[in-house]
Amino acid sequence: MAPSTRNKLVITASFIAAFILISIPGPKWADQFRPDWVSLVLIYWCLAIPQRVGVGVGWTVGLMLDVLYGSLLGQHALAKTIIAFLTLKLYLRVRMFPPWQQAFFVFLLLAINQLIILWIKGIIGQPTETLTRWTSIIVGMVVWPWLFVILRKVRRHYHVS
Amino acid sequence: MDASLGRSLQIRKPSSITRLVMFVILSVVLMMADHQGIRLHQIRASLSIIVYPIQIVAGIPSSIGRWISEAATGKDTLQHDYEELQKQNLSLQARLLKYDALVAENNRFRFLLTSAERVADRVIVAELLYVQPDPFTRSVTISRGTADEIYVRQPVIDAHGIMGQVTSTGIHTSVVTLITDPSHAVPVYVNRNGLRTIAVGTGAPDEINLPYLYNTADIKEGDLLMTSGMGGTFPAGYPVATVTKIINDPNEPSLRISAKPMAKLDHNRELLLIWPGKQPIKLDNEIPANGTEHTK
């Protein structure tokens, strides 16, 4: 298999896994603790191979999320575009960060993601609950170091670059 | 270290700013078009084909769980269930007999009053595919789409009452916003006295509110709320909720009223989609033109 096809396959597979993880039905109380897997995977790939995964991939993934959630088309697309862009701008610095600092960076990105979605919802007049959203962001931050290690293993195993 | 840094600097894309601006504009245009109600159903429908397999895969664990619990059900329980259902079926059959007679009688009376004959609604059964993962909206995806003539704003009910309405359609799936969604409202009336108002979702799984009733309104706990047919989305006369709690705070101009939806929003696997007023009730015997008594 050509390396570029393999790269695309591995990246696509990781996003599909993230999509499945966010849509597996669970008990109602657990929903607010479910991290935003798609954003986390997107941030990882933007950090690891910014020359391949960036704003365009972020936008496409966000559009898919809009279709999956049945939300306003473009809402998640915009949020994911912006966090992909921020990661691309800062990836050289963030790669040097120790894990806890990286996790904090991820926390900021996830918070920006949520803020954009909340703003859009506010503008179009959909009611929003602000407080409970934060639990998902904090869980995302806690999960990040582990996800980072797993995806790095995957990336090295399949020589994605 | 320096070498690797240099390499990664070289392969960095020259300008991600232009790409950012491009995609941001694209997103904003999409959002504005979608919000203005410009028809993006085609885009949504074709994209939903890509998402469909993901939804199917995500549903596998819960269907395996259901299958295991069904397989593990003992013979005794099954036997017991069977007998219960048999009994229930019998009593329902009996009631249905009476219902047919009542419908015929009702139509006869309506005929005498020269009012329009009440028509039943065409119904299709849809299966719940999965519950929307976003915990802040109350919506579900169902296994019917435009291929089954499902349309946006179509009412969805279950055996107990109104569940919600279709808000977006794909070819084989569509999204149903439940009446408990914070952005959803149903025009209702109180069955006891005909008082009209609007029931608004709260985001809680089993509660809706009636925010627009003044302190002097005649409403009591236990009142049944029915769809009023105002607004044109829901046909009139379907049960929506029962009033559970009324708080009369003298500092506020309106009552705070909570109601519990009649439909089992969290428990159903099957739900019904209706086409209001599409298919008239089929009677065994026609109503005579002159409206006099007739024999079977």
Side-chain angles (χ1 to χ4, degrees):
Chain A
M1 205 190 303
S4 67
T5 344
R6 196 187 50 217
N7 289 349
K8 274 182 196 140
L9 266 181
V10 173
I11 294 169
T12 314
S14 67
F15 276 118
I16 288 177
F19 271 106
I20 291 171
L21 278 177
I22 60 159
S23 45
I24 284 178
K28 269 270 169 314
W29 59 265
D31 276 351
Q32 54 178 320
F33 297 105
R34 190 189 295 248
D36 184 354
W37 293 107
V38 174
S39 291
L40 291 175
V41 171
L42 178 70
I43 293 169
Y44 175 78
W45 288 121
C46 286
L47 280 180
I49 41 171
Q51 69 277 15
R52 292 200 183 279
V53 177
V55 177
V57 173
W59 187 80
T60 317
V61 168
L63 197 68
M64 287 290 141
L65 267 185
D66 283 326
V67 176
L68 188 74
Y69 282 144
S71 53
L72 193 69
L73 270 187
Q75 167 180 319
H76 287 88
L78 179 67
K80 299 288 179 280
T81 306
I82 287 172
I83 60 169
F85 174 76
L86 290 175
T87 318
L88 285 195
K89 277 284 136 190
L90 298 169
Y91 78 96
L92 281 177
R93 224 173 299 174
V94 176
R95 274 181 188 175
M96 302 297 147
F97 284 168
W100 65 269
Q101 218 170 333
Q102 238 179 34
F104 184 69
F105 173 74
V106 168
F107 171 82
L108 282 183
L109 286 183
L110 291 179
I112 290 170
N113 178 47
Q114 285 293 2
L115 269 184
I116 294 170
I117 289 167
L118 285 179
W119 278 337
I120 295 168
K121 282 196 164 178
I123 290 168
I124 62 171
Q126 275 181 14
T128 47
E129 297 89 344
T130 39
L131 247 176
T132 30
R133 294 250 174 197
W134 297 101
T135 48
S136 145
I137 298 177
I138 289 166
V139 175
M141 181 179 81
V142 174
V143 177
W144 169 258
W146 282 278
L147 183 79
F148 183 82
V149 171
I150 293 168
L151 282 177
R152 190 173 58 188
K153 273 229 165 80
V154 170
R155 181 171 63 86
R156 288 184 178 160
H157 187 260
Y158 291 102
H159 305 289
V160 180
S161 58
Chain B
M1 191 67 223
D2 277 337
S4 76
L5 199 66
R7 204 179 62 226
S8 58
L9 278 173
Q10 268 175 7
I11 52 179
R12 195 172 166 188
K13 276 179 186 160
S15 160
S16 45
I17 284 270
T18 39
R19 290 169 62 80
L20 172 78
V21 171
M22 199 177 83
F23 281 115
V24 166
I25 291 173
L26 202 56
S27 311
V28 171
V29 168
L30 261 184
M31 278 190 281
M32 275 156 68
D34 202 10
H35 190 50
Q36 296 298 324
I38 294 170
R39 297 180 65 84
L40 295 175
H41 301 317
Q42 284 299 326
I43 302 179
R44 217 182 254 282
S46 43
L47 286 175
S48 75
I49 293 175
I50 309 174
V51 180
Y52 186 54
I54 293 174
Q55 293 175 331
I56 295 288
V57 174
I60 288 174
S62 69
S63 43
I64 289 177
R66 226 181 18 259
W67 180 78
I68 289 174
S69 76
E70 270 166 23
T73 319
K75 198 186 161 213
D76 288 352
T77 340
L78 280 178
Q79 185 72 29
H80 182 250
D81 282 358
Y82 175 75
E83 279 161 16
E84 279 295 302
L85 286 171
Q86 200 81 332
K87 272 183 221 157
Q88 210 178 344
N89 191 23
L90 222 83
S91 78
L92 284 174
Q93 287 282 1
R95 235 190 284 175
L96 194 66
L97 282 177
K98 219 161 93 187
Y99 176 76
D100 279 345
L102 281 173
V103 168
E105 193 181 51
N106 196 5
N107 277 338
R108 236 164 17 242
F109 287 144
R110 276 175 186 278
F111 189 83
L112 289 175
L113 291 166
T114 64
S115 66
E117 185 176 325
R118 181 168 284 250
V119 289
D121 304 320
R122 185 148 83 90
V123 172
I124 191 174
V125 179
E127 201 185 331
L128 188 85
L129 273 185
Y130 87 136
V131 178
Q132 224 60 251
D134 187 357
F136 308 98
T137 57
R138 298 278 155 204
S139 58
V140 295
T141 302
I142 57 168
S143 65
R144 299 279 182 177
T146 44
D148 311 286
E149 296 171 45
I150 306 300
Y151 60 93
V152 172
R153 280 161 62 88
Q154 181 164 19
V156 180
I157 62 172
D158 73 354
H160 308 279
I162 294 281
M163 289 190 76
Q165 58 176 298
V166 175
T167 42
S168 76
T169 51
I171 293 173
H172 296 295
T173 57
S174 25
V175 177
V176 174
T177 299
L178 301 179
I179 52 172
T180 46
D181 188 279
S183 67
H184 194 279
V186 202
V188 294
Y189 70 90
V190 177
N191 196 31
R192 184 167 50 85
N193 55 12
L195 177 69
R196 267 180 290 111
T197 183
I198 293 171
V200 181
T202 57
D206 220 12
E207 189 187 342
I208 56 177
N209 279 349
L210 304 179
Y212 306 116
L213 282 179
Y214 287 113
N215 289 343
T216 50
D218 176 17
I219 189 161
K220 288 190 291 201
E221 283 174 21
D223 274 347
L224 178 64
L225 304 169
M226 310 281 269
T227 50
S228 64
M230 303 273 165
T233 302
F234 295 102
Y238 280 93
V240 178
T242 44
V243 176
T244 49
K245 201 165 72 178
I246 300 175
I247 298 171
N248 188 353
D249 184 350
N251 294 323
E252 298 203 8
S254 52
L255 293 168
R256 273 195 285 153
I257 304 170
S258 339
K260 188 176 182 301
M262 297 293 284
K264 303 260 183 292
L265 297 177
D266 275 356
H267 307 284
N268 278 321
R269 293 285 311 169
E270 280 88 27
L271 22 81
L272 303 169
L273 291 133
I274 48 181
W275 284 262
K278 262 288 177 65
Q279 187 190 55
I281 290 176
K282 286 197 191 76
L283 291 175
D284 295 340
N285 33 27
E286 287 299 313
I287 300 155
N290 54 10
T292 51
E293 272 297 327
H294 60 93
T295 48
K296 222 172 181 177

